[in-house]
Structure formats: C-alpha cells, structure tokens
Amino acid sequence: MSEKQPELGVYSAMETQMTVVFFFMVMSSSAADKVTRKLTATEGGNITLPVPVSEFGVLLFRGRMIAMVKDGNLDILSKNIYSDRILWNNNTGLFTLTGLQRNNTGDYLITFPNGDRSSAFKLKVYASVPVPAVTRESVSADSCTLLCSVDAAEETTLSWNRDEQIVNSSSSALPLPLTVQLQDFSSQYNCVAENPAERKSHALTVETLCSTDTTDVNNNRHYIIPLTIVFIVISVPAVFIIMKICFNYKTTTKQTQDLLTKVQYSVRQNQLSDAPPVDGALGHRLYDPSAAADCTDTSTVYTTLHQSSQTLQR
C-alpha cells in the first residue's frame, strides 16, 4: 500500500504539470494569428489534418484538448469523443480522424509550445452520397429520354456528363432528365451525384438502355413497306378470284333456274299429250289413272333436274 502512494503522487504531479503546460499553450495559440482551412469529409470516412506534429503538439476540438503528441508518442485525452479513432503517423507527423460521425463537424486546432505555428481547421462531415439511379422514361425511333435520381442527401446536386463534359445539371437533388438523340446512342454518359465531400456516378451506354424498343420501332418501320406490297400482291388476285366465283355462281344458278323452267314446261306438255281422249258425248277427257300416275311422278322430275345440274357443272 505504501509503495502505490508514491506512484499516485507522481502521476498527479505529472497530470497537473501537463494541464498547466496545455493552459499556457492554448492561451498563447489563441493570441496568435491563425488562418482557418476548410475541410470536408464523408460520414464513416477518414480525414487527415495536413499539418505535421513531429515531437510535441496538441490537437483541440471546439476548444477542448482531445489528443497530444509528446516525445514522439500519441496520447488520446478525450476518450469519450474519439476513443481510439485518432491516429498519428510517427513518420509523417500527421493526425488522422477515422470513423467520422456527423457530430464530428466543428473547429479543430493544432498548436505547438511556442504558439507561432498554430493551425486551425473547420471540418464539415456530410452524409454519404448514394449512387444515382437511372431509369428510362420514354423511347422513340429518334430519341430516348432518361431520368437520373438519387435519395435525398444534404447539399447533393445532380448532373449528366457525356465524355467528361456536362450536358445537363441541377443545383438540387431533384430528378434530372436527359433526352438523347439517336445519333448519340453509342456515346458514354454518366449520371453524377455529388456534394462538397463526395462524388458518385452511374455510367451507362444509352444504346444498352434504349436499344430494345428502338430496334423494334426501327424494324417495324422497315417492315411496313414490304408488308404493304405483299398485302397488295395477295389481295388483288384474291379479289378477282372471289369476283369470278360469285359470277360463276350467279351464272350456274340462272342456268339451273332456266333448266328447271324448261323441265316444268316439258312436263306440262307431256301431261297434255298423254291425256286421255275426250268423250265426245260428254265433251270431257277420259280419266286414266295409270297415265296420271306417270305424269305426276315427282321422283322422275327431280332425277331429271339433278342430272341436268351435273351436266351444267361439268
């Protein structure tokens, strides 16, 4: 127990001495002229402060000391803010803040014992920019309209680039359309979403997204004239054939009707010629049952008509 007490006393003395040293350092640095540099970073990413600390220096965040380099060793003073997310490279002497969060936005200061080389930074941590999405809005034989969109993000803008040149842009994250003419379908286009800290793009060839419907439209246009010619070539003879069939049908029907009329007339003549003799006394023809039966035999008439019809059709 007695051995631990001197160690605690030494630690307390060192802590007090460090606090006094930091106090004078902060006071001297606040009096010196500083140029504030603006830095941007993405949430979840890293940022390296571009001022080296070789042997001794202090890193402050919003006026609070969070890390110190002394005798070539790093000591993190604010465990609850950065914990082990502050790195120091003993070769370059640079601080790196890792695993950035939105609440890490603010003013940073690197100060040295003499205070004449203090460096100030204003860091802004942005939400990560999503990869933009591209959809096809419409397509025709001569053009294709595309739409670039992105989920809402802070200070994000959209733009359309072709061969590294901006062809359309907006100052917000609202969906941005682009109409591409047929002659430019083979060009490479990029939909770009960016904020001050990050840039992401969606590269595409318009022909890939629009070629299917465009090809169908073009093919249909190529097929219209040949199909029209084929239709005419087929339909014109068909009309003549149908007209001829109708004409032949009318002719055959008329001939059949004429034949039927002749047969009926012949039957009547036969009935008259085969009639029984007239009774001179009574002035009437004598009735012959057998002759009447022969004259009124309908099967004979229909057989004659059938044979006549076949003859005409031949």
Side-chain angles (χ1 to χ4, degrees), residues 114-182:
N114 53 15
D116 58 353
R117 291 188 300 138
S118 299
S119 299
F121 307 94
K122 183 178 289 293
L123 175 64
K124 178 67 177 292
V125 180
Y126 291 88
S128 180
V129 175
V131 176
V134 176
T135 56
R136 187 186 66 192
E137 288 294 288
S138 63
V139 62
S140 67
D142 302 321
S143 65
C144 183
T145 299
L146 306 175
L147 190 67
C148 177
S149 60
V150 69
D151 294 336
E154 184 182 7
E155 297 184 34
T156 299
T157 61
L158 292 175
S159 64
W160 278 104
N161 295 353
R162 184 183 68 186
D163 301 330
E164 302 303 324
Q165 294 183 348
I166 298 177
V167 294
N168 195 12
S169 62
S170 69
S171 58
S172 67
L174 294 176
L176 183 65
L178 175 71
T179 299
V180 183
Q181 300 302 318
L182 180 62

Side-chain angles (χ1 to χ4, degrees), residues 51-261:
V51 173
V53 177
S54 56
E55 293 294 330
F56 190 77
V58 178
L59 175 63
L60 297 93
F61 173 53
R62 296 177 182 172
R64 179 178 180 180
M65 293 176 289
I66 59 175
M68 178 184 68
V69 174
K70 183 180 179 183
D71 299 329
N73 295 312
L74 173 66
D75 185 14
I76 298 176
L77 304 176
S78 182
K79 301 288 186 180
N80 60 335
I81 298 179
Y82 275 100
S83 182
D84 57 351
R85 295 190 294 115
I86 299 179
L87 305 179
W88 176 74
N89 189 313
N90 56 4
N91 293 320
T92 62
L94 298 177
F95 284 109
T96 299
L97 311 179
T98 65
L100 291 171
Q101 302 170 3
R102 300 295 296 278
N103 59 6
N104 294 147
T105 295
D107 296 326
Y108 290 81
L109 180 68
I110 295 178
T111 185
F112 301 91
N114 53 15
D116 58 353
R117 291 188 300 138
S118 299
S119 299
F121 307 94
K122 183 178 289 293
L123 175 64
K124 178 67 177 292
V125 180
Y126 291 88
S128 180
V129 175
V131 176
V134 176
T135 56
R136 187 186 66 192
E137 288 294 288
S138 63
V139 62
S140 67
D142 302 321
S143 65
C144 183
T145 299
L146 306 175
L147 190 67
C148 177
S149 60
V150 69
D151 294 336
E154 184 182 7
E155 297 184 34
T156 299
T157 61
L158 292 175
S159 64
W160 278 104
N161 295 353
R162 184 183 68 186
D163 301 330
E164 302 303 324
Q165 294 183 348
I166 298 177
V167 294
N168 195 12
S169 62
S170 69
S171 58
S172 67
L174 294 176
L176 183 65
L178 175 71
T179 299
V180 183
Q181 300 302 318
L182 180 62
Q183 62 268 20
D184 297 324
F185 273 20
S186 59
S187 300
Q188 185 76 20
Y189 285 82
N190 287 278
C191 174
V192 180
E194 60 183 328
N195 63 20
E198 190 177 25
R199 170 190 173 102
K200 290 184 180 178
S201 64
H202 183 150
L204 73 152
T205 300
V206 178
E207 190 173 10
T208 303
L209 199 58
C210 301
S211 61
T212 301
D213 287 359
T214 303
T215 301
D216 292 341
V217 172
N218 290 334
N219 288 342
N220 290 338
R221 294 181 64 185
H222 294 316
Y223 291 151
I224 288 175
I225 295 178
L227 288 176
T228 303
I229 295 174
V230 171
F231 175 76
I232 294 174
V233 170
I234 294 175
S235 60
V236 171
V239 170
F240 282 106
I241 292 173
I242 293 172
M243 291 176 65
K244 184 176 181 180
I245 292 173
C246 292
F247 177 78
N248 291 339
Y249 174 78
K250 291 180 179 180
T251 303
T252 303
T253 302
K254 186 176 185 303
Q255 290 177 350
T256 302
Q257 291 176 348
D258 293 342
L259 178 61
L260 179 59
T261 302

